[in-house]
């Protein structure tokens, strides 16, 4: 890690790490007797760890000028490993809380282990830990390849990666202690939010600097999606997290928005986190890795551009569909609904573009589980966006809102689309980055694929059933015009579905664990004789046949 | 902001969005199908297929 | 060479600016009018603010992630109004930083739960929900009753909220600690000031059944018991419109 840095960069890294350590100490001191104190120490520890790592490798030889003729892939490798670690943690916690809804006492008798504190660990861990690290790692890969340019320096990518994960750790440990803003998908408190802004600016500048090093005028469309992800997430993050801490020595802050304005801001953020974190960035991934793995250029580049502006424009309007029939003014609800329905057009343009790219390569999809991950991702993307537009229609929403149908929808997206495309990209990247012929075991990639698909189906069907049952029970009247079921009646009816859902989640988690094992084994050093072309980057996929599964 | 009436803001929101949408669609379609852009799109589409040989120096 | 490089930079920055412009319009159009919404929505002149104890309880509600399973937003649908009470009005959450409307009902809506159950029921239920509702899947919170409530920083909480527009008076901010204590210890000298500052209708009692120590249970139950009762605007509205057709 340190050996990739020049001497000058090592010095800057030392300064930054020391600064972080001091910052942590200041927070710990000012937040004495508050929950801020442990987090101050955690930041101090992170800074000290940085200092230690740099000093430990301080006298390693500097990288020579020959580094400039290759891509800078070390941070990508680390990013992939981090993404997998977060996936394991967050999916484990997710499945645990799923079991808690069937068996509520299946926990430690401690404050930190309640559903309310664990659930944001699952959501943050998946969205920001797993998804975010995968986005950062793949964007580093894609920005270099499509620009045919090496990252402009060695330090910034490490800073972005480490700083981002510090944010994730602060978030997740905070929930355990009870530090939360309660804003869905934006729970971390003011100091963590502030830190993320710094990291994010560095990330954006790094991206622009890399693009500036390219030679051809046109920027490949994947980069557009990644840029939209970075920029719009920055905008959403800053506005939604505007808050006033009660004092500099307290973890607690109050958001500047109240009531109906806060609701609109939160769902403007919440839905656009889906749009620009979980969609735009991931489409960037899709538009690069799917053509690469299939060995065929994207079906229509024009469609990808139209889809891009459509998504960028439409998505920001739709957040209010989370607030149908509430105290939000009706015209805002109607706008949200209308744009949600229109959003189907660019969404399906993207899904169709991906699937049409595979036309003529279906034999590869059949034989190659990695490509199949990407294909299934595109299919689920199409399904989930259709469902999303459908659920945004007011009368449908009156039934589905507040029920498990929403959970089904979200997981069709996150399991079926986001996770599948990440796994596809990772299985493409790992052999290439670690310079291996193929994954340690193609058979285990198959096992992972089928576990993931089965888990997703069980999960989504269970939640569809429970959601619709719930929605119908809540609004059923008996012959005498009274509500037919009490709330508890509906809760009892959920029990079997909650077990099925937890089982589906378990299948998915086991699949991820199999994947992690396979990746781990692929990373292990192998005898020099078996290596492909020692230190040169692997040549493009076109120059060699796609690996056949089971070979 | 305080000078603006709620009704005015709502009216702007309701009408202006539509025009904006149409203008933007025309702009994007024009860019996408502009004959002069055809070559660079084709080039971009194919260029990613062989990018592992390392950065251009 | 320099010139072409400069042009390239301009292209990517242009792209970035275009993304920001295109992506921000929708949000501005939808959100900006909401900041003038007070010109149109119903008013609630008699609405009171949360007492320091209720505010502390609200923060415990937030800390424990209760909003993940309980909504506080009754929609304008007949079955919801019949199940939970008059539909929620925008004005009712005008002082809520943040709002807690929620997005999921693993448990029932709580917008009007205040006064629906006794303190004793709430305490038993929070201590172990399955003692009163055998089918419940809610987590048990036995530690609330044993944990002393932190009240020393409540003046800072109130002062911060006042900066954000919640009408706390100087008197309320200055007496936040004493009011928090007094509201849960009815026989104490501090109890009298609570009703003076927050109104005669304010609940002043040992919410957790034990006047000895002010616990997190006191605060949370005080908060739950005030939900939907800060103003009667929603009930008045219902009387006018006759509820949902």
């Amino acid at each position: 890690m340190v050996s990739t840095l020049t001497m000058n960069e090592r010095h800057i890294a030392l300064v930054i790490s020391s600064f972080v350590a001091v910052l942590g100490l200041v927070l710990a001191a000012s937040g004495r007797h508050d929950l801020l104190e442990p987090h101050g120490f955690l930041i101090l520890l992170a800074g000290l760890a940085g200092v230690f790592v740099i000093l430990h490798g301080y006298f390693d030889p500097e990288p020579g000028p020959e580094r400039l003729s290759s891509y800078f892939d070390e941070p990508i490798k680390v990013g992939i490993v981090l993404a997998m670690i977060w996936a394991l943690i967050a999916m484990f916690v997710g499945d645990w809380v799923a079991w808690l809804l069937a068996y509520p006492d299946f926990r430690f008798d401690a404050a930190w282990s309640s559903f309310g504190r664990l659930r944001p660990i699952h959501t943050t861990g998946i969205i920001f830990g797993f998804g975010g690290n995968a986005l950062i790692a793949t964007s580093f890969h894609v920005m270099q390849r499509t620009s045919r340019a090496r990252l402009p320096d060695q330090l910034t990518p490490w800073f972005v990666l480490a700083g981002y994960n510090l944010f994730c750790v602060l978030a997740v440990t905070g929930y355990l202690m009870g530090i939360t803003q309660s804003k869905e998908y934006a729970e971390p408190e003011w100091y963590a939010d502030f830190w993320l802004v710094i990291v994010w600016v560095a990330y954006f500048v790094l991206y622009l600097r890399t693009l500036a090093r390219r030679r051809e005028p046109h920027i490949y469309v994947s980069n557009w999606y990644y840029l939209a992800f970075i920029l719009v997430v920055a905008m959403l993050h800053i506005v939604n997290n505007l808050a006033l801490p009660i004092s500099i020595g307290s973890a607690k802050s109050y958001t500047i928005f109240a009531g109906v304005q806060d609701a609109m801001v939160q769902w403007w953020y919440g839905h656009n986190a889906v749009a620009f974190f979980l969609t735009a960035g991931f489409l960037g991934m899709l538009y690069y890795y799917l053509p690469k793995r299939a060995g065929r250029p994207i079906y229509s580049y024009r469609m990808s551009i139209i889809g891009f502006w459509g998504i960028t424009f439409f998505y920001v309007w739709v957040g209010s569909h989370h607030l149908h029939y509430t105290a939000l003014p009706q015209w805002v609800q109607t706008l949200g609904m209308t744009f949600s329905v229109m959003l189907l057009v660019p969404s399906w343009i993207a899904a169709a573009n991906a699937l049409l790219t595979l036309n003529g390569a279906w034999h590869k999809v059949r034989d190659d589980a990695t490509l199949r991950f990407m294909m299934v991702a595109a299919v689920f993307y199409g399904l989930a966006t259709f469902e999303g537009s459908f659920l945004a229609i007011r009368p449908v929403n009156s039934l589905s809102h507040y029920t498990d149908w929403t959970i089904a929808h979200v997981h069709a997206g996150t399991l079926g689309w986001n996770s599948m495309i990440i796994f596809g990209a990772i299985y493409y990247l790992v052999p290439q980055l670690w310079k291996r012929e193929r994954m340690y075991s193609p058979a285990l990639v198959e096992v992972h694929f089928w576990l993931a698909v089965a888990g997703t189906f069980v999960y989504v069907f269970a939640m569809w059933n429970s959601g619709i049952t719930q929605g119908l029970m809540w609004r059923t009247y008996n012959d005498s015009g009274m509500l037919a079921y009490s709330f508890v009646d509906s809760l009892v009816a959920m029990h079997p579905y909650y077990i099925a859902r937890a089982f589906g989640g378990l299948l998915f988690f086991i699949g991820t664990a199999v994947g992690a094992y396979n990746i781990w084994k692929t990373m292990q050093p192998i005898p020099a004789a078996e290596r492909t072309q020692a230190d040169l980057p692997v040549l493009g996929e076109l120059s060699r046949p796609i690996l056949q599964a089971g070979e | 902001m305080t000078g603006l009436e709620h009704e005015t803001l709502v009216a702007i929101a309701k009408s202006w969005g539509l025009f904006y949408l149409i203008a933007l669609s025309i702009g994007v379609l024009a860019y996408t199908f502009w004959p002069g852009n055809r070559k660079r799109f084709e080039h971009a589409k194919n260029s990613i297929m062989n990018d592992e040989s390392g950065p251009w120096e | 060479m320099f010139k072409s490089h400069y042009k390239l930079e301009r292209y990517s920055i242009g792209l970035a600016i275009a993304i920001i412009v295109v992506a921000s319009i929708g949000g501005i159009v939808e959100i900006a009018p909401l900041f003038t919404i007070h010109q149109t929505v119903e008013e609630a002149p008699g609405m009171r603010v949360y007492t320091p104890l209720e505010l502390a309880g609200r923060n415990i509600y937030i800390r424990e992630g209760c909003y993940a399973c309980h909504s506080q937003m009754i929609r304008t649908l007949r079955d919801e109004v019949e199940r939970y009470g008059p539909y929620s009005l925008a004005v009712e959450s005008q002082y809520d930083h943040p709002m807690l409307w929620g997005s999921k009902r693993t448990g029932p809506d709580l917008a009007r739960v205040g006064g629906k159950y006794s303190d004793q029921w709430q305490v038993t239920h929070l201590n172990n929900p399955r003692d009163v509702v055998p089918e419940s899947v809610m987590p048990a919170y036995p530690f609330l009753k044993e944990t002393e409530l932190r009240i020393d920083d409540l003046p800072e909480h109130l002062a911060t909220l006042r900066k954000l527009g919640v009408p706390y008076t100087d008197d309320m901010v200055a007496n936040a600690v004493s009011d928090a204590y007094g509201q849960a210890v009815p026989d104490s000298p501090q109890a009298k000031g609570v009703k003076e500052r927050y109104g005669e209708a304010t609940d002043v009692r040992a919410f957790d059944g034990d006047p000895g120590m002010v616990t997190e249970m006191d605060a949370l139950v005080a908060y739950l018991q005030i939900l939907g009762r800060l103003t009667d605007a929603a009930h008045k509205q219902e009387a006018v419109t006759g509820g949902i057709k």
Side-chain angles (χ1 to χ4, degrees):
Chain A
M1 209 179 281
V2 181
S3 59
T4 62
L5 301 177
T6 63
M7 224 19 139
N8 191 27
E9 287 171 331
R10 287 175 205 181
H11 293 147
I12 302 172
L14 266 181
V15 172
I16 295 174
S17 300
S18 318
F19 179 72
V20 169
V22 172
L23 207 69
L25 195 64
V26 170
L27 277 183
S30 70
R32 253 181 325 137
H33 313 305
D34 191 88
L35 288 173
L36 189 58
E37 188 179 12
H39 263 174
F41 281 119
L42 196 110
I43 296 168
L44 170 66
L45 209 67
L48 290 179
V51 172
F52 176 80
V53 168
I54 298 155
L55 287 181
H56 187 74
Y58 186 78
F59 293 107
D60 288 357
E62 276 190 276
E66 73 282 357
R67 72 173 190 275
L68 298 175
S69 59
S70 64
Y71 296 126
F72 187 38
D73 288 344
E74 294 301 315
I76 306 173
K77 293 183 183 181
V78 175
I80 288 173
V81 172
L82 287 168
M84 288 307 293
I85 292 173
W86 279 108
L88 288 173
I89 296 171
M91 287 179 194
F92 173 79
V93 174
D95 201 45
W96 181 16
V97 298
W99 287 109
L100 282 181
L101 289 184
Y103 304 101
D105 292 319
F106 182 52
R107 54 176 276 214
F108 303 94
D109 187 18
W112 62 266
S113 67
S114 71
F115 181 93
R117 291 200 194 181
L118 292 178
R119 178 198 177 249
I121 298 185
H122 168 62
T123 53
T124 300
I126 290 293
I127 300 173
F128 296 102
F130 177 45
N133 274 301
L135 282 168
I136 291 174
T138 56
S139 73
F140 285 171
H141 184 254
V142 170
M143 71 170 91
Q144 293 188 88
R145 265 58 178 189
T146 55
S147 304
R148 300 287 173 85
R150 184 182 160 90
L151 290 167
D153 70 289
Q154 284 74 230
L155 181 59
T156 318
W158 286 122
F159 171 75
V160 171
L161 204 58
Y164 181 76
N165 280 280
L166 174 61
F167 165 78
C168 294
V169 170
L170 284 174
V172 163
T173 52
Y175 309 149
L176 286 176
M177 295 188 282
I179 301 175
T180 171
Q181 293 192 100
S182 86
K183 294 197 161 207
E184 283 191 78
Y185 318 114
E187 291 91 350
E189 271 290 357
W190 59 275
Y191 50 95
D193 291 335
F194 199 75
W195 174 247
L196 184 62
V197 173
I198 296 172
V199 171
W200 217 246
V201 169
Y203 184 24
F204 176 60
V205 173
L206 175 71
Y207 213 122
L208 284 191
R209 284 164 69 211
T210 310
L211 288 180
R213 291 158 70 89
R214 77 189 189 284
R215 290 289 170 80
E216 50 186 307
H218 187 75
I219 300 173
Y220 185 69
V221 73
S222 281
N223 296 299
W224 300 27
Y225 283 96
Y226 280 116
L227 272 179
F229 146 65
I230 297 171
L231 285 168
V232 182
V233 166
M235 186 167 86
L236 300 167
H237 174 78
I238 291 171
V239 174
N240 187 44
N241 286 304
L242 289 173
L244 212 53
I246 67 161
S247 79
I248 202 76
S250 171
K252 173 73 188 170
S253 70
Y254 287 99
T255 172
I256 68 164
F257 306 106
V260 64
Q261 291 137 17
D262 187 40
M264 189 59 231
V265 171
Q266 276 201 38
W267 286 111
W268 168 75
Y269 168 89
H271 201 82
N272 286 307
V274 175
F276 290 91
F277 212 100
L278 296 176
T279 303
F282 283 83
L283 284 173
M285 233 184 256
L286 180 82
Y287 277 123
Y288 182 79
Y289 293 104
L290 182 90
K292 289 292 277 189
R293 189 66 182 192
R296 308 158 62 83
I298 193 74
Y299 171 74
S300 164
Y301 196 79
R302 283 172 170 161
M303 273 166 76
S304 69
I305 294 176
I306 296 173
F308 174 80
W309 290 110
I311 283 171
T312 308
F313 177 67
F314 285 142
Y315 249 119
V316 277
W317 297 78
V318 306
S320 53
H321 70 220
H322 288 258
L323 301 166
H324 280 328
Y325 301 99
T326 66
L328 187 77
Q330 184 157 354
W331 68 270
V332 185
Q333 300 179 23
T334 309
L335 261 184
M337 174 174 97
T338 313
F339 276 90
S340 302
V341 174
M342 288 199 278
L343 184 59
L344 190 60
V345 176
S347 301
W348 272 26
I349 285 178
N353 207 358
L355 293 176
L356 286 169
T357 304
L358 294 173
N359 229 352
W362 291 109
H363 61 287
K364 289 183 186 170
V365 177
R366 185 192 60 205
D367 296 334
D368 178 16
T370 304
L371 189 58
R372 221 180 306 127
F373 265 115
M374 300 181 191
M375 186 275 287
V376 170
V379 171
F380 267 101
Y381 176 66
L383 287 176
T385 48
F386 174 77
E387 191 185 24
S389 296
F390 182 62
L391 292 179
I393 299 169
R394 267 165 61 91
V396 182
N397 195 268
S398 76
L399 178 81
S400 74
H401 191 52
Y402 293 134
T403 74
D404 288 322
W405 196 348
T406 311
I407 316 300
H409 170 57
V410 169
H411 284 82
T414 48
L415 299 175
W417 152 237
N418 298 117
S419 300
M420 299 283 185
I421 189 72
I422 293 179
F423 290 134
I426 286 183
Y427 283 130
Y428 168 83
L429 281 171
V430 166
Q432 189 196 77
L433 294 176
W434 273 270
K435 303 184 175 61
R436 303 287 186 268
E437 197 71 50
R438 53 171 174 73
M439 288 300 294
Y440 165 71
S441 162
L444 286 181
V445 181
E446 282 288 339
V447 171
H448 180 188
F449 174 80
W450 288 110
L451 280 170
V453 170
T456 306
F457 271 96
V458 173
Y459 190 110
V460 171
F461 274 98
M463 288 293 95
W464 272 340
N465 275 305
S466 73
I468 293 169
T469 309
Q470 232 171 1
L472 290 176
M473 284 179 86
W474 291 346
R475 57 160 63 176
T476 302
Y477 285 87
N478 59 23
D479 292 339
S480 48
M482 308 285 283
L483 288 168
Y485 301 102
S486 72
F487 192 89
V488 170
D489 290 338
S490 73
L491 187 62
V492 172
M494 294 308 102
H495 188 67
Y497 301 121
Y498 283 169
I499 293 174
R501 178 261 293 272
F503 177 70
L506 184 64
L507 290 182
F508 201 94
F509 171 71
I510 295 172
T512 305
V514 169
Y517 171 76
N518 201 1
I519 293 165
W520 173 252
K521 293 297 275 187
T522 311
M523 284 160 46
Q524 298 311 306
I526 47 168
E530 289 173 34
R531 252 177 247 171
T532 55
Q533 300 176 339
D535 288 310
L536 289 174
V538 180
L539 290 174
E541 292 294 335
L542 277 183
S543 59
R544 63 194 175 94
I546 297 292
L547 292 167
Q548 301 291 316
E551 269 182 5
Chain B
M1 183 86 60
T2 45
L4 285 170
E5 287 299 310
H6 182 66
E7 292 304 325
T8 323
L9 275 175
V10 172
I12 292 171
K14 285 178 177 172
S15 59
W16 193 62
L18 185 67
F19 295 117
Y20 174 67
L21 168 67
I22 294 168
L24 189 88
S25 312
I26 294 172
V28 169
L29 289 175
Y31 172 75
T32 316
F33 289 99
W34 202 261
N37 284 337
R38 187 195 185 94
K39 229 179 79 194
R40 65 163 62 164
F41 290 165
E42 280 302 313
H43 178 72
K45 166 176 167 171
N46 292 308
S47 68
I48 65 157
M49 300 314 296
N50 206 352
D51 58 13
E52 282 304 332
S53 48
W56 290 333
E57 288 176 71
Chain C
M1 178 63 209
F2 176 77
K3 207 179 161 203
S4 77
H5 198 72
Y6 171 72
K7 239 178 118 181
L8 293 179
E9 294 267 18
R10 213 172 50 179
Y11 187 86
S12 54
I13 288 170
L15 178 62
I17 291 171
I19 289 170
I20 293 178
V21 170
V22 171
S24 55
I25 303 273
I28 293 170
V29 169
E30 281 189 343
I31 296 172
L34 298 181
F35 286 89
T36 54
I37 199 170
H38 56 268
Q39 296 171 0
T40 59
V41 295
E42 60 291 323
E43 284 187 21
M47 182 167 173
R48 83 156 165 84
V49 291
Y50 295 112
T51 65
L53 187 70
E54 291 154 8
L55 183 68
R58 190 170 198 272
N59 287 335
I60 292 168
Y61 185 97
I62 289 172
R63 183 187 77 191
E64 300 303 335
C66 305
Y67 57 86
C69 295
H70 293 285
S71 57
Q72 290 185 22
M73 172 46 65
I74 300 166
R75 296 182 293 172
T76 52
L77 299 167
R78 183 184 156 202
D79 59 294
E80 300 218 351
V81 171
E82 288 182 15
R83 190 182 295 278
Y84 300 116
Y87 60 85
S88 303
L89 303 179
V91 73
E92 290 181 273
S93 46
Q94 64 173 333
Y95 300 139
D96 287 1
H97 296 263
M99 62 89 198
L100 294 172
W101 293 6
S103 58
K104 177 73 174 63
R105 285 182 187 150
T106 306
D109 187 276
L110 299 180
R112 309 215 178 282
V113 80
K116 212 167 169 180
Y117 302 92
S118 68
D119 291 348
Q120 174 62 37
W121 187 92
Q122 291 286 8
V123 171
T124 315
H125 183 253
L126 284 165
N127 195 54
N128 182 12
R130 280 156 291 288
D131 286 348
V132 275
V133 184
E135 305 88 348
S136 172
V137 297
M138 188 172 121
Y141 296 96
F143 63 92
L144 292 176
K145 225 171 40 178
E146 267 101 63
T147 313
E148 186 167 3
L149 181 70
R150 179 173 178 191
I151 56 176
D152 66 302
D153 61 349
L154 280 170
E156 287 169 327
H157 285 259
L158 267 60
T160 308
L161 283 169
R162 185 168 62 173
K163 278 186 208 147
L164 297 173
V166 182
Y168 283 112
T169 62
D170 288 341
D171 202 23
M172 288 170 173
V173 174
N175 291 292
V177 174
S178 134
D179 286 348
Y181 181 83
Q183 196 181 353
V185 187
D187 298 332
S188 66
Q190 288 96 322
K192 217 176 114 238
V194 180
K195 292 202 181 221
E196 274 168 20
R197 274 178 283 276
Y198 295 91
E200 273 307 312
T202 311
D203 302 325
V204 176
R205 51 183 192 255
F207 294 92
D208 67 354
D210 170 20
M213 175 171 77
V214 181
T215 63
E216 296 196 335
M217 184 67 91
D218 278 314
L220 186 53
V221 173
Y223 171 63
L224 292 175
Q225 294 292 28
I226 199 63
L227 278 176
R229 293 173 55 218
L230 290 172
T231 166
D232 56 0
H235 294 271
K236 279 191 186 141
Q237 177 97 354
E238 193 182 38
V240 173
T241 61
I244 305 296
K245 300 299 183 305

